[in-house]
Structure formats: C-alpha cells, structure tokens
Amino acid sequence: MKKRLICLVLGALMLLSMFAACQPGIDKSQASYALVTKSAGNPYNEKEAEGFEAVMKAVGVKAGNYIIRHPEAPTVDAQIKVIDSLISQGVSAIAIAANDANALSAKLQEAKAAGIKIVTLDSDVAPADRLTFCNQAGVQQVAQALVDAVYDIAGGEGEYAILSATSQATNQNAWIDAMKAIAAADAKYSKLTLVEVAYGDDENQKSTDQTQALLAKYPNLKVICAPTTVGIAAAAKVLQDKKSPVKLTGLGLPSEMAAYIGDDADHSCPYMFLWNPIDLGKLAAYASIALVNGDITGKVGDTFTAGDMENSPYTLTAVAGAESYSEIILGQPFKFDSGNIAEWAKIY
Ligand code: RAM
C-alpha cells in the first residue's frame, strides 16, 4: 500500500516536472527586462527609470536582470545602437520611449523575431511594432488641456507658438496635431493664431536658443506652449530672466518649474500640466512583466495587476483610430499652479 502511494507521488512529480519543462518561459527567475528612454540628461527620463527600477526591485528581479539605458541623444540611431546590444544580450522584454514613430520599425521587428516582448511608454511607435503602449494620458486630453491653457492665458486671442522636442517625437507630434485639430474645430479658438512650431530637440541650449528666436521673430507673441519638460524649463528661464510679457504653459516637471510658476508678473508660467513620470515607469515595468509571464498578450481587454499602483488592475484599451491595437492609459493630465507646485516639486 505504502509502496503504491510512493510510486503514485513520484509519478505525479515526474509528470509535473515534464510539464514545467515544456512551458516556455517557466523559469521566470531568469527573465530580464530593459527600459530604453528617449535620451540621457533629461530628468523626466530619470524619473521614468526610477519607477521602472522600483518595481523591478519590489518584485525581486535580480540586479543584473534589469537594464536601464538612456541613449546618448534623442535620436533613432542612438536607440538602434542600444536595441542592438539588448538583442545580443537576449533580454526578455524591452520597454521603449520611441524617438520616432516609424524609423525603429525594422529593429523592433528584429527584436520581436528574437522573442523579445516590446512595449512602448511615453512615446509610441506604429502599433504593429509593439504589443502595447503605456500612455501617460490620452492624446486628446493632453491636447485639450494645452489648447485651453493657451486660450485662457492669451485672453482668448492673439499669437502663440509651440516649442516642441524633436521634430520626430511621436508623443509631441500627436499632441500638436490634436491641438491643431481642436483649435480648428471650434470657433471659440478662431482668434488664436499659431505662428510657429519650433524644435528644441529636448536639449536645454537648443530650447533656449529657439525661445530667443521666437521672441525676436514675433514681437506680438502672447504665449509659448512647450509640450516638453526640457523645452518648458528652458523657455521659463529665458522669459523670466528677460521679464518678458510673453507667458508660458505646457508640460513641465514640477521640480524644474517651481521657480517659474506663479500668477504675477515676476513669474513666466501661470500654470502647466504633467502626469507622474515615476508611475509611468512603474506601469511599463508591470506591463513588461505581465507580457513575459504570459498574463497578457497585448490584446484589447487584457488586464493585469500592477502592485500598489493607484488604478491597478489595469485594462488594455483600444487605440483610437487603430481599434485592434491596445494601449494602457495611466491617468489624466494634472494641473500644477502656484497652489500646489511646492508640494509636487519635492516628488518629481
Ligand atoms: C520631455 C520628453 C518626454 C515628454 C515630456 C513631457 O521630457 O519629451 O517624452 O513626455 O517632455
């Protein structure tokens, strides 16, 4: 009797181990996760990385098994170099904030063919080149908040300019296109004139130079809208140092903008928006893990848990205009003004 029981238990154990061996990716302890940001030297990207790393540590991924890469410049070439090295290292997943919507396609397809799960965050690629996109806030919501801010700060009429990041950045281009569409569709905005979209390439000096050029070119300029944390910080300093009457809004990192936010003539930016970039990095980490574990495949309707994150569990929803592809919306754009900037500046 005893013998038969032992045989049964041993048999069951053997079956179990055979089953485990057949399961792809069953040895989760060996999975490795990479984060590729847009570029080095941008504190926003460092905050994303902070969130990504915090999750990796919290779920017990070993130090060597998560890799954070800030490419040397916000360019496709710099990202391709990094992806090449990640493919040869054989990572399990890459979370990337793309510097171009299309030019990474071949390299991402190569990574996919090597069995790597691709997820985007912050700045997307063509949906067929990734499994899902961690979207900081809906494109429409961001664009609406920015158009309304320009309208409000300009007093409903006059010239405004946009100071963007690189001309290829998917996220900035999506917001700018949506801003133009919103402004064109409603007569309310008809007295606002967009004079130029300038590009500071998410570099401080270039953004500073572009701000100065805008001021020189458009003497009637009322507002600059910079949907980039690098651009807005550079423009804020130029305008405030010059005591310029031109006002600023856009997307800024509270820690970099605290000195410039205020309602009086001494401050260049009455208010601005952002989301929590640390949480965006966390979301990308949890999405990567869920993809590697097979908890989600990237299809619309998939759900996954994300530790103690506020909106966990998250659901993959359809991308507007490309309904068979998914994205994960982190939340809503959040407004920072003189009333709350000091508190948020301590966090990110
Ligand atoms: C810059 C980057 C980033 C963008 C923020 C708002 O740091 O361009 O991609 O999301 O600004």
Side-chain angles (χ1 to χ4, degrees), residues 38 42 44 122 136 165 171-172 175 202 227-230 251 274-275:
K38 276 182 164 181
N42 177 350
Y44 174 93
D122 186 58
Q136 48 270 57
N171 52 344
Q172 272 88 14
W175 297 325
D202 270 351
T228 139
T229 57
V230 179
L251 304 174
L274 200 72
W275 43 86

Side-chain angles (χ1 to χ4, degrees), residues 105-127:
S105 181
K107 192 51 66 186
L108 293 178
Q109 287 297 335
E110 190 185 322
K112 180 183 167 188
I116 301 173
K117 310 282 184 202
I118 307 293
V119 49
T120 47
L121 73 157
D122 186 58
S123 187
D124 203 6
V125 290

